[in-house]
């Protein structure tokens, strides 16, 4: 097994999976994990912590079972570094199973491994991956995606989820469960990446009438907005406003309204103590049940669960 590291790599992209495989060995697995860098020299990670490596890619055995390609937040610099790209291409070519963590997906896409495949990366980078590599089908919610012999994971700590899934593939759920217990992590983390995304609503629109309509909704998401009332407020026809929403946001006006209400509810749950019924009313959902359905459909968790996860790090809050 090889883990590829390089200057500026995110520390947990490397050490998270390595810790999972090392822990699995304590329960009967026999992983031989080797960390390599393009030059064979130690690397300084994004956090400033220097990590040692076992050598260069050329020092690895001719055939590998698995390669883990770590990432760095400045993915553009990584994919334009010939030494990094050549290292990844060489090790990938010699591996039966190819994986990446976070922005490591950009390197796999750059060397052509993800062409025609489904893939995941950090939610913040998903649009950039899709735009830079249009042959890749980017999925924004899963913590990791497997397509054939290639598995790509979401951001940073999702590399642990990915590694646990590999352990389960290799040695079954019982051993993987023991590793999860030892590391005090979920065997299967509940829900996907959407619960961690800071904003689900679209970026600022270019068209002035659309911006005004969006601002009207965000200013008071609980108001009884309709396509007709929004169109009158901004001075365009309902049909034209609907076309603007579709063209610039990819949403219908109704979908945008729900996303704004969901965002408002999230903020109220994160920062306040109001009961769920009150949050539903203030954010425009009308009832707690309607809000619960919206949360489950979009975020994969209930409002009460969302509040428990994101309100505070203190269990008693």
């Amino acid at each position: 097994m090889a883990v590829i590291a390089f200057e500026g790599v995110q520390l947990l992209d490397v050490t998270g999976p390595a810790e999972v495989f090392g822990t699995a060995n304590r329960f009967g697995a026999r992983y031989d994990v080797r960390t390599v860098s393009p030059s064979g020299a130690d690397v300084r990670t994004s956090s400033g912590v220097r990590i040692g490596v076992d050598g260069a890619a050329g020092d690895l055995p001719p055939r590998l079972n698995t390669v883990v390609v770590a990432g760095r937040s400045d993915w553009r610099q990584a994919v334009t570094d010939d030494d990094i790209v050549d290292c990844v291409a060489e090790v990938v070519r010699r591996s039966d199973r190819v994986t990446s963590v976070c922005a490591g997906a950009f390197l796999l896409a750059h060397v052509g491994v993800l062409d025609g495949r489904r893939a995941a990366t950090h939610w913040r980078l998903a649009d950039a991956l899709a735009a830079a590599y249009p042959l890749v089908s980017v999925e924004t919610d899963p913590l990791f995606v497997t397509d054939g012999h290639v598995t790509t994971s979401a951001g940073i700590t999702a590399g642990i989820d990915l590694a646990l899934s590999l352990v389960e593939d290799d040695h079954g759920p019982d051993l993987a469960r023991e590793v999860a217990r030892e590391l005090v992590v979920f065997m299967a983390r509940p829900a996907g990446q959407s619960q961690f995304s800071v904003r689900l609503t679209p970026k600022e629109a270019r068209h002035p009438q659309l911006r005004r309509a969006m601002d009207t909704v965000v200013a008071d998401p609980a108001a009884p907005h309709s396509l007709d009332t929004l169109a009158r407020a901004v001075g365009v026809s309902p049909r034209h406003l609907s076309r603007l929403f579709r063209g610039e946001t990819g949403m219908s006006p109704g979908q945008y309204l729900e996303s704004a209400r969901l965002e408002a509810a999230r903020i109220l749950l994160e920062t306040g103590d109001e009961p769920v019924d009150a949050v539903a009313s203030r954010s425009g959902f009308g009832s707690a049940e309607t809000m619960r359905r919206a949360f489950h459909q979009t975020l994969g968790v209930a409002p009460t669960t969302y509040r428990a996860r994101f309100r505070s790090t203190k269990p008693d809050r």
Side-chain angles (χ1 to χ4, degrees):
M1 235 179 216
V3 180
I4 299 179
F6 42 84
E7 284 296 309
V9 73
Q10 294 182 133
L11 178 63
L12 274 176
D13 287 10
V14 177
T15 58
E19 191 66 34
V20 170
F21 300 132
T23 303
N25 286 344
R26 294 163 53 187
F27 293 97
R30 297 178 61 85
Y31 291 114
D32 178 7
V33 183
R34 305 185 190 182
T35 303
V36 298
S37 67
S39 67
D42 296 349
V43 300
R44 185 174 295 279
T45 66
S46 59
S47 62
V49 175
R50 184 172 291 279
I51 57 175
V53 302
D54 297 302
D59 300 323
L60 293 167
R63 198 69 204 166
L64 300 166
N65 173 267
T66 304
V67 59
V68 178
V69 180
R72 58 180 293 172
S73 56
D74 184 2
W75 61 268
R76 291 178 180 83
Q77 185 168 343
V79 300
T80 55
D81 187 313
D82 291 340
D83 290 337
I84 295 175
V85 171
D86 291 346
C87 175
V88 169
E90 178 185 349
V91 179
V92 162
R93 178 176 50 81
R94 294 155 53 184
S95 300
D96 297 325
R97 184 166 59 182
V98 176
T99 73
S100 68
V101 183
C102 196
F106 286 87
L107 286 163
L108 292 187
H110 195 74
V111 300
V113 173
L114 298 184
D115 287 357
R117 296 187 187 275
R118 296 158 45 244
T121 189
H122 192 291
W123 60 264
R124 196 186 296 276
L125 299 175
D127 288 345
L129 180 62
Y133 301 97
L135 296 180
V136 182
S137 178
V138 181
E139 299 195 5
T140 57
D141 188 52
L143 293 172
F144 58 86
V145 171
T146 299
D147 191 330
H149 72 293
V150 180
T151 301
T152 50
S153 83
I156 311 173
T157 59
I160 295 174
D161 300 86
L162 178 151
L164 280 171
S165 76
L166 299 182
V167 171
E168 182 174 1
D169 289 344
D170 295 339
H171 300 286
D174 290 342
L175 192 147
R177 194 173 294 112
E178 289 299 323
V179 174
R181 286 172 177 159
E182 186 71 14
L183 297 178
V184 198
V185 296
F186 287 113
M187 173 73 165
R189 203 186 316 193
Q193 288 197 83
S194 295
Q195 61 186 309
F196 302 101
S197 172
V198 293
R199 284 198 66 84
L200 301 177
T201 49
K203 299 180 177 64
E204 184 178 354
R206 297 185 301 273
H207 197 284
Q209 273 80 16
L210 180 57
R211 284 201 303 273
R212 286 170 54 198
M214 293 169 71
D215 289 343
T216 299
V217 169
V218 171
D220 187 6
H225 300 292
S226 69
L227 178 59
D228 287 342
T229 58
L230 283 174
R232 283 197 300 270
V234 301
V236 297
S237 70
R239 179 176 296 182
H240 184 55
L241 184 60
S242 184
R243 284 198 298 264
L244 289 175
F245 266 103
R246 289 286 188 187
E248 291 203 32
T249 73
M251 295 179 176
S252 68
Q255 289 170 326
Y256 177 79
L257 176 59
E258 180 164 297
S259 74
R261 287 173 172 169
L262 189 66
E263 182 75 4
R266 290 173 60 169
I267 293 171
L268 290 171
L269 289 169
E270 290 171 9
T271 60
D273 296 311
E274 292 180 308
V276 170
D277 285 343
V279 171
S281 178
R282 286 189 59 194
S283 57
F285 283 105
S287 72
E289 177 58 24
T290 301
M291 185 171 76
R292 186 190 67 78
R293 287 198 300 268
F295 265 72
H296 271 291
Q297 181 177 354
T298 306
L299 305 179
V301 295
T304 51
T305 304
Y306 181 87
R307 169 176 269 169
R309 289 184 187 166
F310 294 98
R311 171 77 188 278
S312 171
T313 60
K314 308 302 180 187
D316 58 346
R317 287 189 183 176

